[in-house]
Amino acid sequence: MKKSMKFGIVAAIAAMVAAPLVPSAATAAPASAAATKSGPTSIAYVEVNNDQLANVGRYTLSGGANAFDVAIIFAANINWNGSKAVLVNNDKVQATLDNAATQIKPLQAKGIKVSLSVLGNHQGAGIANFPTQAAASDFASQIAATVSKYGLDGVDLDDEYSDYGANGTPQPNQQSIGWLITALRAQMPGKLISFYDIGPASSSLSSSSSTIGSKLDYAWNPYYGTYSAPSIPGLGKDRLSAAAVDIQNTAQSTAVSLAQRTKADGYGVFMTYNLPGGDKSAYVSALTQKLYGQAATYR
């Protein structure tokens, strides 16, 4: 995952199946019956190796709505077992999934969606080099099984750290990411599919058909502290984040400026990464004041 300009550092099914659109922040399930907010869908990645996913749910706007709409578990990996790509969770990711009762379900009860980020692990396997449609479908099945088993709301695709070519794996191709999105949309109807706009998969999607892009729910800029919207046919600005904010490394003044530009330019998503443990409500509130006209508190 890219951090502040890279400190550490995301296909259509049959044309007759339309991609379900995810409710915007304005219409997502509120934290209470009276809670309302109008503005971009707010994304919070959490490095669960270091911090608790449940912390996302502790931020509430002054009107009672959630400060964040989608929480993303960072991150599961794509490993190479010698013959195919396999989905693997490290111990911290697995613990988060195993403790869904305290880490996932309380967020969902508040109306916050929870997705699992998936990215490479320096073994040559990634989302951009499936050699066949069947191979992409097989990996999609692994993702879908995990999403189903742990009651998640979707998956986030991130084309980093794959080291394509390692262990005799193939180089990226133009079709791979489309095959994967096709299979995911077929196997996970109604679930989120988001894309961290980086790597060879990004290049493929930028020149893909709109039928592929329309199967995605969201995509965002991967370079923290910058403002640049992804260009993916079929994905309108209501489902894009031009802003990218690393809460632990992007200066608050920069983040506030990005939030202000997001609202002024009419982008429908605002992506943040690296939400830490503890109270960061001063920083989060500075953003929500621009995005929603409401302060945020930590409870």
Side-chain angles (χ1 to χ4, degrees), residues 219-231:
W220 30 77
N221 171 17
Y223 298 106
Y224 297 106
T226 73
Y227 189 84
S228 178
S231 178

Side-chain angles (χ1 to χ4, degrees), residues 195-294:
F195 182 66
Y196 189 81
D197 189 40
I198 199 166
S202 171
S203 298
S204 296
L205 281 179
S206 69
S207 59
S208 70
S209 71
S210 61
T211 56
I212 293 174
S214 67
K215 305 308 175 185
L216 285 168
D217 293 290
Y218 303 128
W220 30 77
N221 171 17
Y223 298 106
Y224 297 106
T226 73
Y227 189 84
S228 178
S231 178
I232 301 174
L235 205 60
K237 67 190 302 183
D238 59 320
R239 292 185 284 155
L240 297 174
S241 179
V245 169
D246 180 335
I247 292 176
Q248 296 190 48
N249 291 291
T250 303
Q252 182 173 313
S253 59
T254 300
V256 167
S257 175
L258 297 179
Q260 191 168 21
R261 289 182 69 182
T262 295
K263 193 66 182 285
D265 292 345
Y267 283 101
V269 187
F270 188 81
M271 187 272 279
T272 71
Y273 167 70
N274 221 8
L275 181 70
D279 185 353
K280 292 288 289 184
S281 59
Y283 190 108
V284 173
S285 188
L287 302 179
T288 61
Q289 289 276 20
K290 297 298 183 183
L291 295 171
Y292 312 115
Q294 299 180 51

Side-chain angles (χ1 to χ4, degrees), residues 60-295:
T60 306
L61 300 183
S62 56
N66 301 310
F68 297 105
D69 301 294
V70 181
I72 299 181
I73 301 166
F74 185 80
N77 291 116
I78 309 172
N79 284 5
W80 179 251
N81 74 354
S83 61
K84 70 173 188 176
V86 292
L87 182 65
V88 174
N89 303 319
N90 70 24
D91 57 346
K92 297 294 188 180
V93 171
Q94 191 60 54
T96 300
L97 297 174
D98 288 340
N99 291 300
T102 59
Q103 294 297 311
I104 296 170
K105 293 188 182 303
L107 300 183
Q108 293 171 326
K110 291 174 177 283
I112 299 170
K113 304 288 188 182
V114 179
S115 284
L116 178 66
S117 177
V118 177
L119 79 168
N121 197 25
H122 307 285
Q123 297 184 14
I127 63 175
N129 72 337
F130 294 110
T132 65
Q133 191 166 4
S137 182
D138 176 79
F139 189 71
S141 295
Q142 296 176 52
I143 292 174
T146 296
V147 168
S148 176
K149 180 176 180 178
Y150 296 103
L152 301 174
D153 296 297
V155 64
D156 180 62
L157 304 174
D158 185 345
D159 192 13
E160 299 180 270
Y161 309 130
S162 292
D163 292 356
Y164 293 115
N167 297 311
T169 55
Q171 291 298 316
N173 62 67
Q174 283 292 108
Q175 297 81 24
S176 179
I177 184 61
W179 286 334
L180 181 61
I181 292 171
T182 296
L184 286 170
R185 182 52 70 206
Q187 296 181 41
M188 302 195 315
K191 297 292 187 178
L192 297 180
I193 305 173
S194 59
F195 182 66
Y196 189 81
D197 189 40
I198 199 166
S202 171
S203 298
S204 296
L205 281 179
S206 69
S207 59
S208 70
S209 71
S210 61
T211 56
I212 293 174
S214 67
K215 305 308 175 185
L216 285 168
D217 293 290
Y218 303 128
W220 30 77
N221 171 17
Y223 298 106
Y224 297 106
T226 73
Y227 189 84
S228 178
S231 178
I232 301 174
L235 205 60
K237 67 190 302 183
D238 59 320
R239 292 185 284 155
L240 297 174
S241 179
V245 169
D246 180 335
I247 292 176
Q248 296 190 48
N249 291 291
T250 303
Q252 182 173 313
S253 59
T254 300
V256 167
S257 175
L258 297 179
Q260 191 168 21
R261 289 182 69 182
T262 295
K263 193 66 182 285
D265 292 345
Y267 283 101
V269 187
F270 188 81
M271 187 272 279
T272 71
Y273 167 70
N274 221 8
L275 181 70
D279 185 353
K280 292 288 289 184
S281 59
Y283 190 108
V284 173
S285 188
L287 302 179
T288 61
Q289 289 276 20
K290 297 298 183 183
L291 295 171
Y292 312 115
Q294 299 180 51

